[in-house]
Amino acid sequence: QVQLVESGGGLVQAGGSLRLSCAASERTFSTYAMGWFRPGPGKEREFVAAISWSGTSTHYADFVRGRFTISRDSAKNTMYLQMNSLKPEDTSVYYCAVSTDFVIATMMEEYDYWGQGPQVTVSS
């Protein structure tokens, strides 16, 4: 069982930055792909960014590419989402997730464990 603890959400003005962190309890953290999602239409969660288990491959949704950076630190069992040039439309809950079966994953169904989702609010 992998437990994920997120931190770093908050309130920021448009154009500002925030960094989200996602700490994993599992010692085999470095063998799992990870990603960030936010609520989408209906019950689906919308893909934001993903990183491979090795950290060498990343994917981004078009609406965050060039502004957000996903990274991981295996020594700290922690994944990050650096959010720059924030826009009011980035306001959302952001969930981190772990995929145990894929090298890198961009679909909600490919993930097995989820964090609680800190709130990010961007004021105009």
Side-chain angles (χ1 to χ4, degrees):
Q1 183 79 12
V2 178
Q3 293 183 333
L4 301 173
V5 178
E6 300 181 51
S7 60
L11 172 64
V12 65
Q13 289 187 329
S17 299
L18 282 175
R19 188 176 79 159
L20 303 182
S21 299
C22 177
S25 63
E26 179 62 47
R27 290 182 180 181
T28 55
F29 166 87
S30 60
T31 65
Y32 297 152
M34 298 190 72
W36 293 93
F37 287 76
R38 67 187 192 186
K43 296 183 178 180
E44 291 295 312
R45 290 182 177 178
E46 183 177 49
F47 170 72
V48 175
I51 189 166
S52 63
W53 64 269
S54 65
T56 56
S57 295
T58 56
H59 286 315
Y60 296 94
D62 288 342
F63 56 83
V64 303
R65 187 174 290 112
R67 300 188 298 121
F68 292 10
T69 302
I70 189 172
S71 62
R72 63 191 300 161
D73 184 340
S74 295
K76 296 181 179 180
N77 281 5
T78 301
M79 176 181 66
Y80 304 97
L81 185 67
Q82 179 65 44
M83 312 166 75
N84 297 332
S85 301
L86 282 161
K87 305 175 181 179
E89 52 263 45
D90 294 321
T91 295
S92 186
V93 174
Y94 285 80
Y95 300 97
C96 74
V98 166
S99 173
T100 60
D101 292 331
F102 293 85
V103 173
I104 189 167
T106 60
M107 297 177 65
M108 174 183 172
E109 295 76 15
E110 296 172 333
Y111 285 83
D112 307 290
Y113 301 99
W114 295 86
Q116 78 279 11
Q119 174 70 41
V120 171
T121 302
V122 185
S123 63
S124 58

